[in-house]
RNA sequence: GGCGGCGUAGCCAAGUGGCUAAGGCAGAGGUCUGCAAAACCUUUAUUCAGCGGUUCAAAUCCGCUCGCCGCCUCCA
């Protein structure tokens, strides 16, 4: 039985979907106006593993993620600027070119991290009619009001407002902010539809005039369209808990009269050298930059060594530790695959050792997706697999290989490819083999200076050689 | 100011009432080796920020103190 931490109840709860074995899961996607960054990596790797594990546990998951390609205002006031439009002017491109360009980059980086694509990836701009429909329904039911071409949600009409984030409606009604948009009844009322100036590029017709949708609307509309009025899991970053998710609940439940989401999952934030990473602070690290230094699998492994609900600090020291740990694991997985024929099915059941590892792995994952604990099982498996290699226990190695495949590759989404590659070409291979033959000759003659020179020079080129018992192996090393 | 979280070995990080406080990185010793490297084996916290309390029993619950962080404005 899976237990997960529900932000709504602030407790770990047993996971019981509405219509087992089907699970509807919606995760807030990115606003596509800039390169993906560390925060995206943590968030989407975390939810990717959650989807993978739910599937491994027998659930049929429909995973929906939005792409926010409708610009939203930078500030709360009407003077704020639309991020996508701003970027479009900077790059001298159409707003939709910006959205398209960064959506491609987003998926490219998610692919590198080995995140599965969502089953449905929906762009907000494609659902304007559904959004105006929801706004109209809220107006009809008296939860919303018009003011100067804008439509606002009246939070005083929705008694449950604040139930997710712990805000008190009375406090919010008092008006905390300085600049309250004109026409709002309460400071904390949020926009469902905004009037657009004639020169505003992204705008659509609506019953209330030309405009564009409020930011919170798209997630309500698209999740309900594909997953129904009540969905099992809604995920997103902790920073979106308020106001975004609070507003989603308000507008969705006001419209349908039904509970919007059963389980709210929030991943925690990323810091860089102890500092919050944010776009407004300008200290965010993009994934293309990071991948240049560490490689996507190291980043994925590093993220999974923490817990999705804990904040995670990215530092070179921590990433380097993750890189080495993952490299060791990868090499063991490679090594145990070598001596055995993977297609040969062993006649025996997996021994108690492997069964125990698998059970421990599942126990960790069933406890609110404790990937850090799950990875520790992988290292324990590596140790046992090592023993089997020494004992030449071929059958056990097949079981070990299959378990790494199931737990490490399928569920955690790790690719155990050697960071060090083999020869790129036949020529390269032949050259290295030639050098190794020469070196063997020098060693036989005890010409240590010459043999060590070959070793040192090869290492400078990026080829490490390792003298084994009766033969010398080599591999490429990076960085 | 309001709401919430965190503080576990040199670093990263699980564990949230009861077996010997996971695991990774780094360190130390050893095996192997001509020497290395890699790999493997062994080892590294009488203690969980501090103080006080509850309990037969606390890193885990409660209170206070110190330190750090997040949300309350776009952000995953």
């Amino acid at each position: 039985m899976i237990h997960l931490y529900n932000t709504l109840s602030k407790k770990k709860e047993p996971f019981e979907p509405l219509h087992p074995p089907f699970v509807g899961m919606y995760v807030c996607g990115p606003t596509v106006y800039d390169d993906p960054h560390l925060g995206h990596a943590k968030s989407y790797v975390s939810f990717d593993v959650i989807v993978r594990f739910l599937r491994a546990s027998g659930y049929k998951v429909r995973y929906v993620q939005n792409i926010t390609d409708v610009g939203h205002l930078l500030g709360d006031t009407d003077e704020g600027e639309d991020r996508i439009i701003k970027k479009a002017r900077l790059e001298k491109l159409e707003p939709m070119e910006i959205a398209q360009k960064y959506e491609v980059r987003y998926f490219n980086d998610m692919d590198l991290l080995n995140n599965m694509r969502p089953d449905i990836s929906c762009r907000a701009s494609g659902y304007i009619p559904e959004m105006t429909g929801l706004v109209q329904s809220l107006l009809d039911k008296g939860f919303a009001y018009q003011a100067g071409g804008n439509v606002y949600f009246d939070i005083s009409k929705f008694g449950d407002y604040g139930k997710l984030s712990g805000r008190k409606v009375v406090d919010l009604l008092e008006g905390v902010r300085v600049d309250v948009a004109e026409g709002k009844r309460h400071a904390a009322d949020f926009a469902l539809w905004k009037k657009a100036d004639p020169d505003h590029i992204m705008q659509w017709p609506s019953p209330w005039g030309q405009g564009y949708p409020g930011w919170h609307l798209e997630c309500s509309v698209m999740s309900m369209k594909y997953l129904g009025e009540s969905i099992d899991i809604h995920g997103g970053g902790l920073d979106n808990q308020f106001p975004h998710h609070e507003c989603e609940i308000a507008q969705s439940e006001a419209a349908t009269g039904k509970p919007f989401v059963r389980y709210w999952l929030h991943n925690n934030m990323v810091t860089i050298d102890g500092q919050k990473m944010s776009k407004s602070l300008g200290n965010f690290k993009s994934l293309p930059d990071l991948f240049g230094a560490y490689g996507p699998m190291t980043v994925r492994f590093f993220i999974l060594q923490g817990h999705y609900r804990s904040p995670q600090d990215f530092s070179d020291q921590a990433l380097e530790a993750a890189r080495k740990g993952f490299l060791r694991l990868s090499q063991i997985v490679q090594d145990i695959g070598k001596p055995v024929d993977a297609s040969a099915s062993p006649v025996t059941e997996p021994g108690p050792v492997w069964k125990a590892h698998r059970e421990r792995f599942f126990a960790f994952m069933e406890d609110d997706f404790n990937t850090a604990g799950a990875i520790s099982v992988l290292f324990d498996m590596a140790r046992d697999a090592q023993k089997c290699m020494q004992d030449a226990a071929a059958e056990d190695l097949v079981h070990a290989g299959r378990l790494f495949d199931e737990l490490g590759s399928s569920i955690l989404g790790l690719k155990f490819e050697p960071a060090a590659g083999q020869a790129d070409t036949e020529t390269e291979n032949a050259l290295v083999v030639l050098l190794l033959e020469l070196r063997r000759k020098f060693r036989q003659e005890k010409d240590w200076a010459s043999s060590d020179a070959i070793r040192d020079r090869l290492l400078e080129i990026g080829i490490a050689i390792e003298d084994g018992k009766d033969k010398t192996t080599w591999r490429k090393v990076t960085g």
Side-chain angles (χ1 to χ4, degrees), chain A residues 108-119:
Chain A
N108 179 52
D109 286 349
M110 294 303 115
D111 290 348
L112 287 171
L113 285 167
N114 203 26
N115 286 345
M116 293 181 305
R117 296 276 180 122
D119 298 303

Side-chain angles (χ1 to χ4, degrees), chain A residues 169-189:
Chain A
V169 178
V170 269
D171 296 340
L172 293 166
L173 289 181
E174 279 168 14
V176 195
R177 299 173 227 181
V178 187
D179 295 322
V180 177
E182 214 172 311
K184 270 197 196 181
R185 288 183 192 164
H186 314 292
D189 287 351

Side-chain angles (χ1 to χ4, degrees), chain A residues 151-180:
Chain A
V151 183
Y152 293 105
F153 187 93
D154 186 341
I155 65 162
S156 69
K157 298 275 166 61
F158 187 74
D160 276 346
Y161 193 78
K163 69 178 175 183
L164 178 70
S165 59
R167 311 289 146 127
K168 302 227 171 21
V169 178
V170 269
D171 296 340
L172 293 166
L173 289 181
E174 279 168 14
V176 195
R177 299 173 227 181
V178 187
D179 295 322
V180 177

Side-chain angles (χ1 to χ4, degrees), chain A residues 402-472:
Chain A
R402 288 185 179 177
L403 206 51
F404 272 115
D405 216 43
E406 181 194 4
L407 308 183
S409 305
S410 298
I411 295 179
L412 295 180
L414 296 167
K415 285 195 208 163
F416 296 111
E417 284 160 1
Q422 290 304 305
D424 289 334
T425 62
E426 284 297 312
T427 313
E428 185 181 271
N429 186 55
L431 285 170
V432 177
V433 167
L434 172 68
L435 284 165
L436 289 184
E437 274 171 20
L438 277 170
R439 180 165 170 273
R440 193 175 61 206
K441 218 176 125 210
F442 287 133
R443 291 182 74 205
Q444 278 166 355
E445 293 162 2
K446 298 201 192 301
D447 181 355
W448 308 126
S450 301
S451 78
D452 289 355
I454 291 174
R455 182 172 67 195
D456 294 344
R457 292 294 301 277
L458 279 173
L459 191 61
E460 279 171 28
I461 299 167
I463 289 171
I465 61 181
E466 291 159 9
D467 294 324
K469 257 199 173 117
D470 33 46
K471 73 170 186 182
T472 297

Side-chain angles (χ1 to χ4, degrees), chain A residues 25 86 223 252 295 352 382 389:
Chain A
M25 177 161 161
K86 184 181 177 187
S223 65
S252 304
M389 290 193 38

Side-chain angles (χ1 to χ4, degrees), chain A residues 254-410:
Chain A
T256 66
K258 293 175 188 164
F260 176 45
V261 171
R262 288 168 66 79
Y263 303 95
W264 280 96
L265 266 46
H266 289 98
N267 68 277
N268 215 315
M269 313 306 283
V270 149
T271 55
I272 292 181
D273 298 320
Q275 273 277 311
K276 180 205 176 187
M277 184 189 78
S278 82
K279 288 177 183 170
S280 43
L281 290 181
N283 69 338
F284 72 92
K285 231 184 188 121
S286 77
L287 291 182
D289 286 352
L290 191 70
F291 290 166
Y294 290 104
M297 272 307 114
T298 292
V299 175
R300 184 180 184 95
F301 185 77
F302 175 68
I303 289 167
L304 294 179
Q305 273 195 312
H307 189 100
Y308 78 95
R309 280 195 294 114
S310 300
Q312 193 162 33
D313 188 53
F314 277 69
S315 63
D316 281 327
Q317 200 179 15
L319 278 160
E320 184 55 24
R323 191 186 69 78
K324 286 185 181 159
F326 182 63
L327 184 67
R328 206 187 106 215
L329 212 49
S330 299
Q331 277 173 359
I332 288 168
V333 174
Q334 296 294 313
D335 289 347
I336 62 175
K338 277 176 197 163
V340 293
D341 181 3
S343 60
S345 58
V347 286
T348 55
E349 284 286 296
V353 177
W354 306 114
K355 278 186 175 163
H357 283 314
R358 191 174 183 279
E359 275 167 28
R360 232 161 54 83
F361 182 97
F362 270 78
F364 274 122
M365 290 299 287
E366 283 175 358
D367 181 15
D368 199 29
F369 313 107
N370 187 346
T371 53
I375 282 179
S376 77
V377 175
L378 258 39
F379 280 102
D380 291 342
M381 281 164 54
R383 180 174 300 143
D384 285 336
Q386 199 70 46
K387 280 185 200 133
C388 294
M389 290 193 38
Q390 284 161 7
D391 303 344
E395 232 164 52
D396 270 321
L397 286 180
V398 173
H399 289 306
R402 288 185 179 177
L403 206 51
F404 272 115
D405 216 43
E406 181 194 4
L407 308 183
S409 305
S410 298

